[in-house]
Amino acid sequence: MQATTHALLVIDVQNDFCPGGALAVPGGDTIVAGINALMGDFAAVILTQDWHPSGHSSFASSHPGRAPLEMVTMPYGPQVLWPDHCVHGTGGAAFHPALATDRADLIIRKGMNPALDSYSAFFENDRTTPTGLDGYLRSRGIDQLTMVGLATDFCVHYSAVDAAKLGYRVRVAQELCRAIDLGGSLAAAQTAMRDCGVTLA
Ligand code: VGL
Ligand code: ZN
């Protein structure tokens, strides 16, 4: 067995997070070619997909009188309210058409529970409900992860912190990520990732 097995985790490269999408991340589409080019360097490629039912509790439209980007307190803690995005089965939830999805070993979906958001590829936003990704990686002997995708300060951030806490060696390739940057959230995310031992490349 190899001393280390290194996987590429591609976070939420979906139409709704790209220009023209419901929750567009500036420059979200500009990272796709670079991500495709990187895939061949890894023992495994894993894609995540934000995948919400309509009426999801993270949508501002589910909270009368509330607007997108306001905060609410959910039973599991503070939650940003988002525009409706990545509703399962819609074109917005589909991967960017240029993403080399045929290369994926695994596609993992998150955010399906209507009452609970899920930024991280490992745990939902209650920080305890697992997605199953940790078990998949462990059973394949994967102990090192490079992360790319959208958005640096939300789903990449939470996935990187959780992976580091679970004991993986984690590197975030920032040139192949793009951020929403809501009220300083990018700088805060970078600090949180570094504090957990994540390498920001
Ligand atoms: C994301 C906000 C809501 C992300 C997903 O992929 O970073 N952000 N849902
Ligand atoms: Zn979402």
Side-chain angles (χ1 to χ4, degrees):
M1 205 205 254
Q2 287 172 269
T4 201
T5 304
H6 197 161
L8 179 67
L9 188 58
V10 181
I11 306 284
D12 297 0
V13 180
Q14 294 166 261
N15 290 325
D16 269 343
F17 297 123
C18 290
L23 180 39
V25 181
D29 56 336
T30 62
I31 61 175
V32 176
I35 292 172
N36 290 342
L38 207 56
M39 289 179 174
D41 297 347
F42 293 86
V45 176
I46 294 140
L47 312 179
T48 72
Q49 209 168 13
D50 207 40
W51 198 254
H52 301 305
S54 58
H56 190 261
S57 59
S58 75
F59 297 169
S61 62
S62 303
H63 301 259
R66 296 309 199 94
L69 310 186
E70 288 181 12
M71 298 290 302
V72 288
T73 303
M74 301 290 266
Y76 55 84
Q79 170 72 48
V80 181
L81 293 179
W82 301 108
D84 290 22
H85 66 279
C86 296
V87 173
H88 58 203
T90 63
F95 289 111
H96 186 285
L99 186 69
T101 57
D102 289 352
R103 307 281 296 264
D105 293 70
L106 176 76
I107 296 172
I108 188 149
R109 290 171 170 166
K110 60 189 178 61
M112 289 90 82
N113 182 336
L116 185 55
D117 205 5
S118 189
Y119 294 150
S120 166
F122 293 91
F123 295 102
E124 301 198 51
N125 282 9
D126 61 0
R127 320 304 298 135
T128 57
T129 305
T131 62
L133 180 58
D134 181 43
Y136 175 86
L137 296 174
R138 277 180 208 283
S139 68
R140 286 200 55 187
I142 291 163
D143 54 5
Q144 199 173 342
L145 295 169
T146 289
M147 298 193 188
V148 296
L150 307 170
T152 321
D153 41 346
F154 288 92
C155 290
V156 176
H157 161 208
Y158 278 71
S159 298
V161 164
D162 281 349
K165 287 181 177 165
L166 287 166
Y168 296 90
R169 280 179 56 197
V170 184
R171 182 174 154 271
V172 171
Q174 292 193 95
E175 75 281 6
L176 293 176
C177 299
R178 292 292 180 273
I180 296 172
D181 205 10
L182 195 63
S185 59
L186 177 58
Q190 288 168 329
T191 300
M193 289 190 281
R194 280 204 191 92
D195 286 351
C196 287
V198 172
T199 301
L200 299 183

